[in-house]
Amino acid sequence: MNVYTVYADVKEGIDARTFVENMELFLNKLPQLETYRITRMKLGFRSMNLPEFRIDMEFETMQALDDAMSHVVSNKDDIETEHVGFNQWVDGETIQ
């Protein structure tokens, strides 16, 4: 498996549940995605220079990852709606 990881904080004023629900809407439409995990680092049990959320997406091959990202860019199946749906909740200053 090939794992693609994203770290992000939620924008101020947005609750974690809204963020996760919108992230799941997007990930569930992403083609060739084998599985994913959304984890949250709370209670100070993390390096403070890491954002609070970690999203791991697993693809069988790196080509499958590239194909999935191309799918998003080309807006097949109107996936951009879900992509924007979670992007608007991410603090752009902290995405890594």
Side-chain angles (χ1 to χ4, degrees):
M1 255 334 123
N2 291 275
V3 179
Y4 179 69
T5 301
V6 176
Y7 291 95
D9 278 326
V10 177
K11 279 186 181 175
E12 181 117 7
I14 304 299
D15 66 275
R17 177 172 284 172
T18 299
F19 174 77
V20 170
E21 287 171 353
N22 282 279
M23 175 58 88
E24 288 176 333
L25 285 173
F26 169 66
L27 294 173
N28 287 329
K29 284 186 84 172
L30 200 58
Q32 300 184 24
L33 179 62
E34 297 291 326
T35 190
Y36 64 85
R37 284 175 303 287
I38 301 172
T39 58
R40 183 178 186 191
M41 296 178 272
K42 290 183 64 165
L43 307 174
F45 295 118
R46 63 182 165 126
S47 171
M48 294 314 289
N49 63 344
L50 284 175
E52 185 175 5
F53 283 90
R54 175 180 163 160
I55 300 102
D56 292 320
M57 297 169 273
E58 292 188 20
F59 296 87
E60 188 171 325
T61 65
M62 288 304 289
Q63 185 60 54
L65 167 62
D66 289 345
D67 292 345
M69 294 305 115
S70 294
H71 187 87
V72 172
V73 170
S74 67
N75 198 25
K76 290 183 181 172
D77 304 323
D78 196 32
I79 195 168
E80 187 61 17
T81 301
E82 281 76 18
H83 188 237
V84 169
F86 88 83
N87 265 346
Q88 68 180 327
W89 311 123
V90 174
D91 180 349
E93 296 295 317
T94 66
I95 197 155
Q96 298 179 18

